[in-house]
Amino acid sequence: MTTPVVSIAYHSGHGHTAVLAEAVRTAAAEAGATVHFIRIDTITDAEWELLDGSDAIVFGSPTYMGTASGAFHQFAEASSKRWFTDAWQDKLAAGFTNSGSKSGDKGHTLQFFQTLAAQHGMHWVNLGLKPGWNVSTGSEHDLNRLGFFAGAAAQTNNDEGPEAVHKADIATAEHLGRRIAETARVFVSGRAAVGA
């Protein structure tokens, strides 16, 4: 069986997004992927090379002022060196984010990730879940309780720490981790079959 390589490239300002990153990592590993965990605000040359060697890259950042954090924007700009060499061409990509408000313009952050992936010629993997908590019988404990399709989105109150990240949002991030690992396995296996 083919073992896909998934890297999680993320920034976490106060620890909330790191909780989601850990959920993605755990689930992707449980689904059989080799997973690299890369904090982009302290990224090294060796970690850039890990990204280059990955089958899938999952982008993660808090949503600040309607977009990804400044640290993530610096990482995105630095990735232009990869753009010039097509180093990430045809890799898979996915994303997750957290903000203090229920909406908080998280959709814009996920769209920023999608655009970054598209500029690199990557293939975007969406969340693959119907929205939760949108019927009278639903609850805040539903998967995808905030109703985002592009990626995993979480909400944590501004006055609470990382321990308050909602369990449903963690479970949604875990779903994303499994989905990207499973999609990467199919993708890598398909390439191997075509190459054979």
Side-chain angles (χ1 to χ4, degrees), residues 34-93:
T34 298
V35 184
H36 302 300
F37 207 51
I38 299 168
R39 286 188 55 110
I40 55 86
D41 51 335
T42 58
I43 192 169
T44 65
D45 288 340
E47 288 172 325
W48 279 110
E49 291 175 11
L50 288 175
L51 293 176
D52 297 344
S54 299
D55 300 305
I57 302 174
V58 185
F59 302 124
S61 169
T63 294
Y64 293 153
M65 301 306 293
T67 188
S69 66
F72 195 93
H73 277 268
Q74 287 180 327
F75 162 78
E77 186 173 332
S79 76
S80 64
K81 292 179 182 176
R82 271 63 197 165
W83 180 84
F84 281 109
T85 63
D86 294 326
W88 295 355
Q89 179 82 26
D90 290 326
K91 294 184 185 305
L92 299 178

Side-chain angles (χ1 to χ4, degrees), residues 101-131:
S101 298
K102 294 291 189 289
S103 171
D105 292 317
K106 288 185 274 284
H108 185 262
T109 299
L110 293 171
Q111 289 171 348
F112 172 72
F113 294 158
Q114 288 177 306
T115 300
L116 175 63
Q119 288 183 338
H120 280 287
M122 302 170 81
H123 304 283
W124 187 259
V125 177
N126 59 49
L127 185 58
L129 283 175
K130 299 277 193 301

Side-chain angles (χ1 to χ4, degrees), residues 150-176:
Q155 180 272 332
T156 311
N157 293 330
N158 289 330
D159 59 349
E160 294 185 294
E163 70 285 350
V165 175
H166 201 287
K167 287 182 171 53
D169 295 341
I170 294 171
T172 301
E174 290 170 343
H175 171 85
L176 180 66

